[in-house]
């Protein structure tokens, strides 16, 4: 339920493009893969961000950052075991170049628009960290 609520708001924004699991990003944009398998783990959402560096616009745009968005419902992410599993997954993602953003389920229910704003902010932050412009 929280994943569906967040997904619907993500897709309302014109800054995101839905992709199937096997699709490769084409062009510029934020490409969303819901329930994406990454190695032994499944992410709620993987977002692959492709674009140009600000000083050159040579086709094709290239991959600039990848993020995992995890929706943390209270029922599933409060036990010691689940927190340990989440850390293990986050470490695996980071070793594979994927930065994780966690959003609390209660926040998604209360203010889903803010959550998507946070996703966009996180993307901009990671893109800025990764550029050498």
């Amino acid at each position: 339920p929280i994943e569906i609520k967040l997904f619907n708001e993500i897709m309302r924004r014109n800054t995101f493009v839905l992709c199937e699991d096997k699709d490769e990003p084409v062009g510029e944009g934020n490409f969303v893969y819901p329930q994406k398998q990454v190695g032994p783990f499944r992410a709620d959402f993987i977002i692959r961000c492709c674009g140009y560096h600000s000083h050159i616009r040579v086709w094709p745009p290239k991959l600039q950052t990848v993020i995992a968005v995890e929706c943390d419902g209270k029922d599933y992410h409060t036990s010691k075991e689940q927190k340990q599993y989440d850390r293990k997954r986050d470490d695996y993602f980071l070793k594979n170049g994927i930065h994780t953003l966690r959003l609390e389920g209660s926040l998604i229910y209360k203010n889903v628009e803010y959550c998507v704003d946070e996703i966009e902010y996180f993307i901009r932050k990671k893109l800025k960290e990764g550029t050498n412009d």
Side-chain angles (χ1 to χ4, degrees):
I2 56 176
E3 289 91 351
I4 293 169
K5 186 172 181 72
L6 184 61
F7 174 76
N8 288 336
E9 184 61 27
I10 287 171
M11 296 319 304
R12 282 177 15 99
R13 308 271 175 114
N14 63 1
T15 55
F16 296 95
V17 176
L18 176 63
C19 288
E20 297 294 323
D21 193 39
K22 63 188 179 307
D23 292 344
E24 283 298 314
V26 177
E28 196 172 18
N30 299 314
F31 299 90
V32 179
Y33 298 82
Q35 295 298 308
K36 174 81 169 157
Q37 191 72 32
V38 179
F41 300 100
R42 180 172 291 275
D44 291 332
F45 301 97
I46 291 291
I47 303 176
R48 298 180 72 186
C49 309
C50 298
Y52 300 102
H53 288 289
S54 59
H55 64 286
I56 55 172
R57 292 187 63 83
V58 177
W59 186 261
K62 65 181 197 175
L63 180 65
Q64 293 182 343
T65 194
V66 180
I67 69 166
V69 178
E70 291 295 322
C71 304
D72 291 346
K74 185 178 179 182
D75 294 341
Y76 298 102
H77 296 275
T78 54
S79 73
K80 182 179 178 180
E81 294 80 16
Q82 188 59 46
K83 287 180 182 180
Q84 207 171 28
Y85 177 83
D86 288 346
R87 275 192 301 277
K88 188 176 174 183
R89 178 176 45 198
D90 293 352
D91 289 345
Y92 180 88
F93 285 169
L94 193 55
K95 286 178 186 172
N96 287 281
I98 302 170
H99 305 279
T100 303
L101 173 64
R102 296 191 162 280
L103 298 170
E104 292 183 17
S106 59
L107 183 58
I108 294 169
Y109 276 123
K110 290 177 190 172
N111 195 343
V112 71
E113 296 88 0
Y114 172 80
C115 292
V116 178
D117 290 343
E118 282 296 300
I119 292 169
E120 290 177 331
Y121 171 78
F122 191 74
I123 289 169
R124 285 192 306 274
K125 179 181 168 189
K126 292 301 168 191
L127 289 173
K128 187 174 180 180
E129 287 173 4
T131 61
N132 296 318
D133 295 340

